[in-house]
């Protein structure tokens, strides 16, 4: 199992913690970021194997801001943390942009909050943007938008954000790079007999009992947050590896199938997990009825649903909500994430995509439901 999960992964989210990025708060570790960028480039360019899509979730803004402001202790006041994040984010993104460009890779800064991923419309917007960046061969560098939120700084951590991003883009794997070799049965600094956990199932409650508190004074995430992040990532079918970020060629060796760190395996394949998630939406806000031609394309070929094949729209729903698709006889064929609200969908019924801009005032996706965001429920 260990050799297959990362070797077969085509879309990978890599998360690095503050203590690694800032060398325990001494300032951005240029050498480490250079090394990760080199490995990311090798994965994206397909050196020695298949090309991968990679997203970087990086901590370090607050720690870098503290250094730039001359603060030796992490402040407790929210406004001071926000100020440090704002100052530090400038240096953090500049460093990644420079080092990725040296590897002939484009990069993009994406700042997210948990609220962005809780709201269905903003969730869908973020997903479309990230997938477009990946298609363009650009590496998104994601951090939490600490400057404008309160509770995320107080209680949030980028391990959780890494898992949410893995859910968002349906990643095959989440790699959490930390200052520990992986997970032990107890804190090895306190218990010399602690055994190393090479592999376990994500979500196993025994793992949470093993985990200790936060290990670093610079970062916020301890091993428990990583175990909970793996559990969350497994919800969309992504397995997680927790490994030492300074291990030589760690990302390339994982991608080659080498067992490094702790592998927490997702019990459900990502396609099955997504299908189950959509099937579980028992109370949907609406549905669209399609003509027989569109119904046949959905049944036989699993094609995306285009508005030109829609006959009518029922109920009230927003962009990003799960809706149903019914054939002319009223039988449910599919469920999926709506690219348009019910009001917009009514205007688009029987219309080709060339007319969307005139009808809506903007050009959106050509599909009402994209096949990647849709599951067939009947025949």
């Amino acid at each position: 199992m260990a050799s297959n999960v990362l070797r077969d992964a085509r879309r990978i989210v890599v998360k690095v913690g503050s203590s690694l990025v800032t060398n325990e708060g001494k300032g951005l570790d240029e050498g480490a970021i250079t090394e990760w960028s080199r490995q990311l480039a090798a994965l994206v360019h397909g050196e020695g194997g298949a090309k991968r899509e990679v997203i970087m979730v990086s901590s370090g803004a607050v720690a870098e801001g503290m250094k730039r402001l001359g603060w030796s202790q992490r402040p407790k006041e929210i406004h001071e943390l926000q100020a440090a994040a704002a100052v530090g984010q400038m240096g953090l993104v500049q460093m990644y942009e420079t080092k990725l460009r040296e590897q002939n890779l484009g990069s993009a800064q994406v700042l997210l909050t948990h609220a962005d991923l809780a709201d269905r419309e903003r969730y869908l917007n973020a997903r479309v943007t990230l997938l477009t960046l990946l298609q363009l061969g650009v590496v998104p560098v994601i951090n939490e938008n600490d400057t404008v939120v309160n509770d995320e700084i107080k209680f949030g951590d980028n391990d959780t954000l890494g898992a949410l991003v893995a859910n968002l883009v349906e990643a095959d794997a989440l790699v959490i790079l930390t200052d520990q070799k992986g997970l032990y049965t107890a804190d090895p600094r306190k218990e010399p007999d602690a055994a190393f956990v090479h592999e376990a199932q994500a979500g196993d409650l025994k793992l949470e009992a093993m985990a200790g508190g936060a290990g670093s004074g610079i970062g916020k995430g301890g091993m428990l947050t990583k175990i909970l992040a793996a559990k969350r990532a497994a919800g969309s079918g992504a397995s997680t590896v927790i490994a030492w970020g300074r291990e030589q060629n760690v990302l390339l060796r994982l991608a080659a199938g080498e067992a490094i760190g702790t592998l927490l395996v997702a019990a459900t394949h990502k396609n099955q997990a997504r299908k189950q998630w959509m099937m579980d939406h028992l109370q949907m806000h609406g549905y669209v009825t399609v003509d027989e031609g569109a119904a046949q394309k959905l049944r036989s070929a699993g094609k995306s649903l285009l508005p030109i094949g829609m006959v009518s729209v029922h109920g009230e729903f927003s962009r990003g909500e799960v809706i149903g698709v019914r054939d002319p006889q009223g039988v449910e064929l599919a469920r999926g994430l709506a690219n348009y609200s019910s009001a917009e969908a009514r205007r688009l019924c029987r219309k080709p995509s060339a007319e969307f801009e005139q009808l809506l005032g903007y050009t959106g996706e050509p599909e009402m439901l994209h096949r990647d965001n849709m599951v067939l429920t009947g025949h």
Side-chain angles (χ1 to χ4, degrees):
M1 174 64 74
S3 62
N4 295 336
V5 170
L6 269 292
R7 188 191 64 197
D8 296 340
R10 290 295 168 263
R11 183 175 295 158
I12 303 170
V13 175
V14 179
K15 182 268 174 182
V16 290
S18 294
S19 60
L20 284 175
V21 174
T22 64
N23 196 10
E24 294 293 347
K26 297 171 186 173
L28 291 176
D29 191 329
E30 183 174 352
I33 295 176
T34 298
E35 180 59 21
W36 296 322
S37 297
R38 180 187 65 80
Q39 295 180 57
L40 292 177
L43 294 175
V44 173
H45 294 149
E47 296 177 19
K51 293 183 178 181
R52 318 291 181 115
E53 296 176 333
V54 185
I55 291 175
M56 193 71 158
V57 176
S58 179
S59 302
V62 171
E64 172 62 9
M66 286 166 53
K67 176 178 178 287
R68 291 184 172 214
L69 292 167
W71 297 348
S72 59
Q73 296 291 323
R74 184 183 175 95
K76 293 183 171 59
E77 295 291 334
I78 291 295
H79 63 273
E80 290 182 340
L81 283 166
Q82 291 174 325
V87 171
Q89 189 64 32
M90 294 293 288
L92 185 68
V93 73
Q94 182 183 40
M95 180 71 78
Y96 275 108
E97 196 277 335
T98 298
K99 296 307 175 183
L100 289 169
R101 183 159 35 86
E102 288 175 357
Q103 301 294 332
N104 296 314
L105 270 184
S107 59
Q109 176 184 228
V110 180
L111 296 175
L112 293 173
T113 68
H114 292 311
D116 292 324
L117 306 186
D119 178 89
R120 294 306 307 169
E121 184 168 358
R122 286 154 70 183
Y123 173 98
L124 197 58
N125 290 340
R127 173 183 162 83
V128 169
T129 298
L130 288 172
L131 294 182
T132 300
L133 290 170
L134 293 176
Q135 289 169 3
L136 294 170
V138 170
V139 174
V141 179
I142 299 178
N143 198 357
E144 197 159 17
N145 196 356
D146 289 338
T147 304
V148 298
V149 283
N150 289 354
D151 56 343
E152 278 73 17
I153 288 179
K154 290 175 66 177
F155 305 115
D157 59 84
N158 274 359
D159 295 322
T160 300
L161 182 60
L164 290 170
V165 170
N167 296 152
L168 178 68
V169 301
E170 293 176 81
D172 300 300
L174 168 64
V175 178
I176 298 178
L177 298 182
T178 182
D179 52 7
Q180 303 292 320
K181 295 283 187 180
L183 177 64
Y184 290 83
T185 54
D187 188 340
R189 293 166 297 189
K190 299 176 181 176
E191 299 188 33
D193 296 334
F196 188 78
V197 179
H198 292 279
E199 184 176 326
Q201 184 165 310
D204 186 340
L205 294 179
K206 294 177 185 175
L207 299 175
E208 296 175 32
M210 291 178 191
S216 166
I218 294 296
K220 284 180 61 63
M223 197 55 71
L224 179 59
T225 69
K226 294 163 179 54
I227 290 170
L228 295 176
K231 181 178 180 180
R232 189 185 294 266
S236 60
S239 295
T240 298
V241 172
I242 303 170
W244 187 37
R246 300 193 187 281
E247 185 83 45
Q248 186 174 12
N249 286 323
V250 59
L251 297 176
L252 301 183
R253 288 161 61 195
L254 284 170
E258 188 173 339
I260 301 174
T262 298
L263 172 65
L264 300 179
V265 183
T268 309
H269 186 272
K270 72 172 186 177
N271 290 336
Q272 295 172 317
R274 188 163 181 79
K275 179 175 181 179
Q276 189 61 51
W277 176 77
M278 289 191 185
M279 291 289 284
D280 285 344
H281 275 70
L282 301 179
Q283 293 182 329
M284 293 180 293
H285 294 284
Y287 65 92
V288 296
T289 300
V290 300
D291 60 29
E292 193 54 51
Q296 186 59 33
K297 287 181 179 179
L298 289 176
R299 288 193 194 100
S300 61
K303 298 285 188 181
S304 298
L305 173 62
L306 303 180
I308 198 168
M310 298 182 339
V311 176
S312 58
V313 177
H314 308 264
E316 301 299 326
F317 51 85
S318 302
R319 168 178 158 84
E321 290 189 316
V322 177
I323 64 170
V325 181
R326 298 184 183 180
D327 68 10
Q329 290 73 45
V331 176
E332 184 181 287
L333 298 173
R335 294 180 182 185
L337 298 182
N339 281 334
Y340 295 96
S341 69
S342 52
E344 292 171 325
R346 290 186 176 95
R347 292 182 220 161
L348 299 182
C349 280
R350 317 300 288 170
K351 299 295 193 297
S353 58
E355 297 181 19
F356 287 8
E357 184 171 9
Q358 180 181 352
L359 291 166
L360 302 178
Y362 71 96
T363 302
E365 291 87 351
E367 310 90 3
M368 180 63 194
L369 300 177
H370 193 280
R371 63 183 181 183
D372 291 345
N373 293 327
M374 182 172 60
V375 58
L376 298 180
T377 58
H379 299 284

